[in-house]
Amino acid sequence: MTASSTAASGSVATGGHPQRWLILGVICLAQLTVLLDNTVLSVAIPSLTSELHASTSDIQWMINAYSLVQSGLLLTAGNAADRYGRKKLLALGLALFGIGSLTAGLAGSTGQLIAARAGMGVGGALLMTTTLAVVMQIFDDSQRVKAIAIWATVGSLGFAAGPLIGGVILNHFWWGMIFLINIPVAVIGLVAVLKLVPESKNPNGERPDPLGALLSTIGMTALVYAIITGPGSGWTSAETLVSAAVGLAVLGAFAAWELHIPYPMLDMHFFRNQKFVGAVAGAILVMLGMGGSLFLLTQHLQFVLGYEPLEAGLRMTPLALTIVVLNLSGLGPRFVMKVGTAPAVAIGLSLVAAGLTSIALLGGGTDGSYGGMLLGLVLMGAGIALSNPAMANAIMSAIPPEKAGVGAGVNGTLAEFGNGLGVAILGAVLNARFAALVTVTATSLPAALAAAGSDAERQKISDAFADGLQTSQLVGAVAVFAGGLLAAALLSRAERAERRTAAEAAGEGAEDQVSAA
């Protein structure tokens, strides 16, 4: 163990690093930049289409290159951070993200922009894993839930604020500024990380696992690619099926390899831990509900209700504001600490399900009503504020501290996977319902509306889309609610087992003391 990691460990043992809140602010700044970039590009699509002459395929790759590379590398990046030092990899991630942003902002062709986005994905993977791992190192048990809540809040804020910030920038500047604005943030973050963040790494110095890293990267990339391309190419297309088959086969080979080596990148025995499995199930389901519903709601606000991108972004902000208020005020973390992880997950995911139901039953339709949607967004925000920090803390606490980077990689991978799965599943439900109600040859709602021959036909198409949206939201609500109960049951059982083990250990210790006396 290095002197810096020893110092960090000692400070945590006595209440946390003395500059932990300032370090958390730096980490959240870096985290926000990465997460904004996940969504900010969506509002620049018209500009990229006209100025770079980007085709639909080009636009898809501009968006997907970033998410594919990032999701594929999360586990590998977390393992590298544990082995080589979380501070080093955090600084490297910021540097790569800044260089990628500069290249993207000055790109003169679609190929250059796609390559730059892939490079930004590498930096994003390093940042997503190291930020949470550092939080686990610098905060002790008494403040860790609150710190993770703030970290998770920034994630939700980045997800919701991307289109809003992108819209403001594009109202005043050309499209390249949505990337160039990242550079000063990356530079400030890099200087602050080098000056403030203590170094920490796995003190055991385990051997690297290059084959495991290769298999996990290929498997996750192929599986996420299948989820991303399925809605457009068709779930039974050769492209989707081959990609999914390759992803599942390679991930199966990864699991088999990790079980048979003495120094696994991801210890598969973690999946025997009910606390870990419960948190994993909950994390996937909350992202399934949030990612899928927000993706569809953005389309509903713009295509059905007729709002501009900036107006649609503003109407989505109650979700992020609710999360920010509950977690930054400390109400969310205090509730989690008071009731426990399992009840917090059950209540949180029930609120998310209630929010989806409210949006479906009260906020749907084409009459322009926003009240039901507002109620649903607030309920979802409250549910996410309670469940996300509880699940992230459960995942990280189920993994040994020296494997914090891998734990953060698992958490990030689950978020990416759940988000992609939510878009795919709820999108498929919407498309199926839409196709059952109207007969159109167009592949998207805007194209179908443009091809309509009359106002009555356009109204019928909009109503069909709203009906499909309602159905998909209800499917998401049922999945989130059922999954929340399952995750809470697994977490509750794991907590009871932990208490029994602790009581038995305490009893054996007392017996030993009596025998020694």
Side-chain angles (χ1 to χ4, degrees):
M1 183 182 291
T2 64
S4 59
S5 62
T6 304
S9 300
S11 63
V12 169
T14 56
H17 191 280
Q19 293 180 300
R20 56 193 177 277
W21 294 108
L22 181 58
I23 294 171
L24 179 63
V26 172
I27 285 171
C28 287
L29 182 65
Q31 177 90 341
L32 181 62
T33 307
V34 175
L35 291 163
L36 283 173
D37 213 76
N38 274 327
T39 54
V40 72
L41 190 64
S42 61
V43 298
I45 289 174
S47 300
L48 293 169
T49 302
S50 60
E51 296 184 32
L52 289 183
H53 307 291
S55 65
T56 301
S57 176
D58 292 332
I59 295 295
Q60 288 174 338
W61 276 108
M62 288 173 193
I63 296 171
N64 295 342
Y66 181 83
S67 57
L68 280 173
V69 171
Q70 180 174 281
S71 58
L73 287 176
L74 281 168
L75 277 178
T76 301
N79 180 256
D82 287 337
R83 176 170 175 77
Y84 299 110
R86 298 168 188 119
K87 176 179 180 175
K88 291 186 186 70
L89 272 293
L90 178 55
L92 177 61
L94 279 164
L96 289 175
F97 195 81
I99 293 169
S101 297
L102 176 62
T103 307
L106 301 178
S109 68
T110 56
Q112 291 175 4
L113 182 53
I114 291 168
R117 291 278 293 168
M120 293 171 69
V122 177
L126 291 170
L127 288 169
M128 290 287 285
T129 52
T130 50
T131 51
L132 182 54
V134 170
V135 169
M136 295 299 294
Q137 298 298 316
I138 62 174
F139 286 91
D140 65 4
D141 292 341
S142 65
Q143 295 181 323
R144 191 169 290 145
V145 173
K146 183 178 181 181
I148 291 176
I150 294 173
W151 177 87
T153 297
V154 171
S156 301
L157 184 62
F159 188 90
L164 181 62
I165 293 174
V168 171
I169 292 173
L170 289 173
N171 278 346
H172 297 88
F173 303 98
W174 100 109
W175 64 265
M177 279 302 295
I178 65 175
F179 299 111
L180 296 181
I181 199 171
N182 293 335
I183 297 173
V185 178
V187 170
I188 293 170
L190 181 59
V191 172
V193 164
L194 294 174
K195 185 175 179 62
L196 296 173
V197 175
E199 184 60 284
S200 63
K201 64 177 69 174
N202 186 346
N204 298 326
E206 294 178 353
R207 291 170 58 187
D209 179 16
L211 181 58
L214 179 64
L215 291 173
S216 72
T217 301
I218 294 174
M220 280 304 305
T221 302
L223 193 58
V224 172
Y225 180 77
I227 293 172
I228 289 173
T229 57
S233 301
W235 292 106
T236 58
S237 68
E239 183 180 17
T240 303
L241 291 177
V242 170
S243 180
V246 169
L248 291 172
V250 173
L251 287 176
F254 168 72
W257 172 254
E258 297 297 287
L259 283 169
H260 290 89
I261 58 173
Y263 43 89
M265 184 175 85
L266 174 62
D267 189 345
M268 302 306 293
H269 295 98
F270 290 151
F271 291 93
R272 295 179 180 174
N273 185 326
Q274 291 179 341
K275 185 177 183 180
F276 180 79
V277 172
V280 163
I284 290 176
L285 286 163
V286 73
M287 286 307 299
L288 185 153
M290 185 175 78
S293 64
L294 291 187
F295 170 75
L296 297 175
L297 278 174
T298 302
Q299 295 185 58
H300 183 77
L301 286 166
Q302 294 185 59
F303 299 146
V304 177
L305 301 184
Y307 294 117
E308 294 297 321
L310 183 57
E311 295 174 324
L314 284 169
R315 281 161 178 80
M316 297 295 290
T317 54
L319 173 74
L321 288 176
T322 303
I323 298 171
V324 169
V325 169
L326 287 177
N327 280 342
L328 293 190
S329 67
L331 292 175
R334 282 199 295 271
F335 182 83
V336 173
M337 296 290 288
K338 183 176 181 178
V339 305
T341 301
V345 169
I347 294 170
L349 291 183
S350 296
L351 286 171
V352 173
L356 288 169
T357 303
S358 173
I359 291 170
L361 300 181
L362 304 176
T366 56
D367 59 355
S369 174
Y370 179 67
M373 190 176 291
L374 175 62
L375 174 62
L377 290 171
V378 171
L379 287 173
M380 286 180 66
I384 292 165
L386 298 180
S387 57
N388 261 7
M391 290 182 297
N393 187 58
I395 289 173
M396 297 302 290
S397 61
I399 291 177
E402 64 270 15
K403 297 276 190 178
V406 170
V410 171
N411 188 69
T413 300
L414 294 174
E416 291 287 332
F417 184 71
N419 184 59
L421 204 60
V423 171
I425 292 175
L426 298 190
V429 173
L430 168 63
N431 291 336
R433 181 62 176 163
F434 181 66
L437 293 172
V438 293
T439 303
V440 293
T441 57
T443 57
S444 67
L445 177 66
L449 291 172
S454 64
D455 290 341
E457 189 177 350
R458 278 189 287 272
Q459 185 63 44
K460 183 179 179 181
I461 291 171
S462 294
D463 288 339
F465 182 85
D467 192 285
L469 176 69
Q470 181 183 59
T471 303
S472 64
Q473 301 285 19
L474 290 174
V475 169
V478 172
V480 169
F481 182 69
L485 295 181
L486 173 63
L490 291 171
L491 288 167
S492 180
R493 185 182 299 177
E495 289 173 351
R496 288 197 300 269
E498 285 181 352
R499 287 194 293 268
R500 282 197 303 270
T501 302
E504 290 169 1
E508 290 174 0
E511 289 177 4
D512 291 341
Q513 289 179 355
V514 170
S515 300

